[in-house]
Amino acid sequence: MGPFSIVSRIFLDIGVFSWDILLTLSNLVRRKLRIGHVTPHGHPGYGGYWPEYKPPKETDSRCSCPALNAMANHGIIPRSGRNISFAEVERHIRTTYNFSSTFCSFVPRFAARMLKKDYSEDLFDLEELDLHNGIEHDGSLLRLDSAFKQKQSTKHTPFIEELLAAATGRDRKDNSIILTTKDVSRMLSKRRAVSRASNKEFSLSSFHKIFGSTNAATLVTVFGGRVDDLHSFLHDERLPKGWELHIRQPHGMTLMQINKTVLEIERGVRERDWAEAAREAAQFDKALV
Ligand code: HEM
């Protein structure tokens, strides 16, 4: 990368972050979107009508991200998961999950750079996002580490079950079970400790920890932690019938807003609480789920 493109990248990032602050402030003063009208009119999911769900075929491409896989399973992006443009993903995560334009532009641009692709010209297949230590990393909530020769598009069902069973919150209105940020921190602590003890190739930089807690934060923000909905999203990578996302800010969830939950989750991670049990389990080759 030449000096010109580094400088233009810095300006682009500064621009995105400044814009993000303005959107965050505007979100604070503007009225929230009305329930039933969060997905914009004319977009897939308006009024809770998600396009037909079809599980992926053998030949389809899927990745380690349940949110992108779900969009492909509903045909919001190509069902094949192949030849997708970065701009297409940017547009659809905005309307499907109501993230701010800043988040929606930042993450796909980051992914394009990670894959050494041109954001505007090149296409990608979902599985390419599983580049190890790009965004994908060890010690995830839902998948075994790639060192265990696990295709990252393959979910690890016991991890999902354990995560959902760890939910301790209750919705005040309908008493449904809610996964809280504390629950997520506890499970992330365990996943990281177990991976560190059992995976000889384990690595997890601070940068990847933040990516991990950002992904985990979406469970409590976009899905409001509702275990019923998360069950369908995580096990089947399916948006529940009639489901509406929980982010009702008019400009969508900004980078600044999600960072609040990300920091809460990351601060609550206590890997050492699990370290001994994880080491013992690894020694006797026992699965600590
Ligand atoms: C272009 C946008 C996106 C890209 C490139 C992307 C990419 C990824 C990747 C590579 C992973 C695997 C990380 C790991 O190893 O744990 C991942 C996981 C995940 N992503 Fe995404 N993602 C995007 C958008 C989203 C959105 C919009 C949501 C929420 C609505 C989301 C929710 C998640 C969740 C819940 C996980 C699982 C985390 C875990 O297992 O610990 N992602 N994503």
Side-chain angles (χ1 to χ4, degrees):
M1 184 181 291
F4 177 72
S5 50
I6 293 177
V7 171
S8 63
R9 211 181 93 182
I10 292 171
F11 275 109
L12 191 73
D13 287 350
I14 292 175
V16 168
F17 288 115
S18 317
W19 188 231
D20 195 74
I21 294 173
L22 291 178
L23 293 182
T24 308
L25 294 174
S26 174
N27 267 343
L28 288 175
V29 293
R30 282 188 53 191
R31 198 177 301 155
K32 284 190 174 170
L33 298 168
R34 272 185 305 140
I35 292 179
H37 298 267
V38 180
T39 306
H41 191 258
H43 288 272
Y46 175 72
Y49 294 104
W50 295 100
E52 189 189 357
Y53 166 85
K54 288 186 192 162
K57 294 196 289 237
E58 273 287 294
T59 50
D60 291 341
S61 181
R62 290 295 182 266
C63 65
S64 45
C65 177
L68 300 182
N69 290 344
M71 290 206 300
N73 292 342
H74 283 278
I76 299 170
I77 54 174
R79 288 188 188 269
S80 65
R82 299 190 186 279
N83 297 320
I84 303 173
S85 78
F86 293 97
E88 193 176 3
V89 171
E90 171 172 343
R91 203 157 20 95
H92 288 299
I93 50 179
R94 172 87 188 92
T95 52
T96 307
Y97 299 112
N98 197 20
F99 275 96
S100 65
S101 53
T102 40
F103 181 99
C104 296
S105 126
F106 184 76
V107 186
R109 276 171 210 278
F110 181 91
R113 269 185 237 153
M114 163 185 104
L115 299 178
K116 300 190 170 50
K117 294 204 176 205
D118 186 288
Y119 176 89
S120 317
E121 310 246 311
D122 293 336
L123 303 174
F124 71 100
D125 293 350
L126 287 179
E127 67 209 52
E128 289 179 67
L129 296 174
D130 294 345
L131 177 73
H132 186 53
N133 281 340
I135 299 175
E136 191 284 322
H137 54 80
D138 290 337
S140 302
L141 275 179
L142 313 172
R143 274 136 175 107
L144 287 168
D145 293 351
S146 59
F148 296 122
K149 303 294 170 239
Q150 180 92 4
K151 237 174 105 182
Q152 286 301 291
S153 56
T154 313
K155 307 169 281 281
H156 189 56
T157 306
F159 284 1
I160 299 178
E161 280 168 359
E162 197 185 4
L163 174 71
L164 298 180
T168 59
R170 280 281 186 280
D171 184 288
R172 277 200 211 122
K173 281 193 202 129
D174 62 8
N175 209 30
S176 56
I177 306 171
I178 304 285
L179 189 73
T180 65
T181 48
K182 283 202 176 117
D183 301 331
V184 171
S185 299
R186 206 168 55 254
M187 290 318 298
L188 263 184
S189 314
K190 180 171 178 185
R191 292 278 77 86
R192 289 180 189 174
V194 171
S195 281
R196 195 181 293 280
S198 55
N199 174 4
K200 290 191 180 70
E201 294 164 33
F202 181 85
S203 68
L204 188 65
S205 63
S206 305
F207 173 75
H208 286 111
K209 282 183 182 170
I210 293 297
F211 252 122
S213 30
T214 305
N215 288 328
T218 65
L219 305 177
V220 293
T221 50
V222 179
F223 290 86
R226 294 180 76 92
V227 167
D228 280 352
D229 294 339
L230 286 174
H231 195 278
S232 155
F233 177 64
L234 298 182
H235 279 293
D236 302 327
E237 303 189 319
R238 175 179 198 156
L239 300 172
K241 210 170 161 199
W243 176 75
E244 187 171 59
L245 44 143
H246 286 248
I247 301 164
R248 288 173 44 216
Q249 284 94 339
H251 296 295
M253 186 160 58
T254 61
L255 292 160
M256 261 185 109
Q257 281 163 333
I258 195 167
N259 280 346
K260 187 173 161 284
T261 313
V262 170
L263 292 179
E264 234 175 270
I265 291 179
E266 197 51 50
R267 271 206 298 261
V269 172
R270 303 258 179 284
E271 213 185 297
R272 61 178 175 277
D273 288 357
W274 296 95
E276 211 179 302
R279 269 196 303 272
E280 250 173 52
Q283 199 181 350
F284 298 106
D285 212 14
K286 261 192 354 220
L288 201 65
V289 196

